[in-house]
Amino acid sequence: MIRGGEQKRIAGRDVVRGDMLVLSEGDRVSADAIVLSCVNLSVDESLLTGESVPVRKTAASGIMDMGRPGGTISPCYSSTLVVQGQGIAQVQRTGLGTEIGKIGKALQAVEPEGTLLQKETGRLVRNLAIIGLSLCMLVIVIYG
C-alpha cells in the first residue's frame, strides 16, 4: 500500500478510502478499488461472479464508476485474488460499502427457515400432545 507517498504494509482492516494499493500476484484485494496502472493484471472474481476464469483488468482512463463485478473493466473488488501481474489501484469503498459487504448485509436480513424434517417433527409432537391431553381429560371424566 502507498500512503503518504511511501510504500507500507498495512492490515486490510486499516485501509481507508483514497489509499493506493500495490497489487501483485497472490495478493487478496482488501477493498473495492479502481486500477490506475497495471501490467498483465488478472483477478479471480469467482467469489462474486461465479466465473471460474480470472478477469483481465485494464487501467482506468479518466474518472470511473465502480460498476458491477465481471468483465475487463478496471475496478478490483474486495476479497478477490490477484492471480497474475501487478498493478496500482486507488481504494474507493471499504467495509460494508464493498460488493462483498453488500452481500453480507443481504445475508443478515435472511430469516432461517425450518427444514421439512423440523416442520414434520413439530407437527407430530403437536398432534401427540393433543392426543395425550385428550386422553388425560377422558380419564379424569371417567374416574372423576
Side-chain angles (χ1 to χ4, degrees):
M1 155 168 314
I2 300 172
R3 188 183 277 177
E6 61 183 71
Q7 191 168 343
K8 301 176 182 179
R9 189 151 186 90
I10 297 175
R13 66 180 173 271
D14 296 331
V15 173
V16 295
R17 189 166 191 226
D19 281 346
M20 302 293 245
L21 300 176
V22 178
L23 304 172
S24 59
E25 193 170 319
D27 287 347
R28 184 85 44 197
V29 181
S30 56
D32 288 0
I34 300 279
V35 177
L36 301 177
S37 68
C38 64
V39 177
N40 282 342
L41 185 64
S42 293
V43 179
D44 178 7
E45 294 182 348
S46 61
L47 184 65
L48 297 171
T49 63
E51 291 291 326
S52 60
V53 179
V55 178
R56 186 169 214 87
K57 296 296 180 177
T58 57
S61 55
I63 298 173
M64 265 192 91
D65 185 32
M66 286 297 294
R68 287 285 189 205
T72 60
I73 54 176
S74 76
C76 283
Y77 298 93
S78 179
S79 300
T80 59
L81 181 68
V82 178
V83 293
Q84 179 183 359
Q86 299 174 350
I88 295 177
Q90 184 176 26
V91 174
Q92 299 295 310
R93 299 184 205 144
T94 60
L96 292 177
T98 63
E99 288 298 316
I100 200 79
K102 291 176 186 175
I103 292 171
K105 275 195 291 191
L107 288 175
Q108 282 181 337
V110 174
E111 289 295 323
E113 188 176 308
T115 64
L116 183 59
L117 179 63
Q118 290 171 327
K119 290 176 185 177
E120 291 292 327
T121 303
R123 189 175 305 128
L124 178 65
V125 168
R126 185 187 68 231
N127 291 341
L128 289 175
I130 291 171
I131 291 171
L133 288 173
S134 299
L135 288 174
C136 286
M137 294 301 286
L138 183 64
V139 168
I140 291 172
V141 168
I142 291 175
Y143 291 109

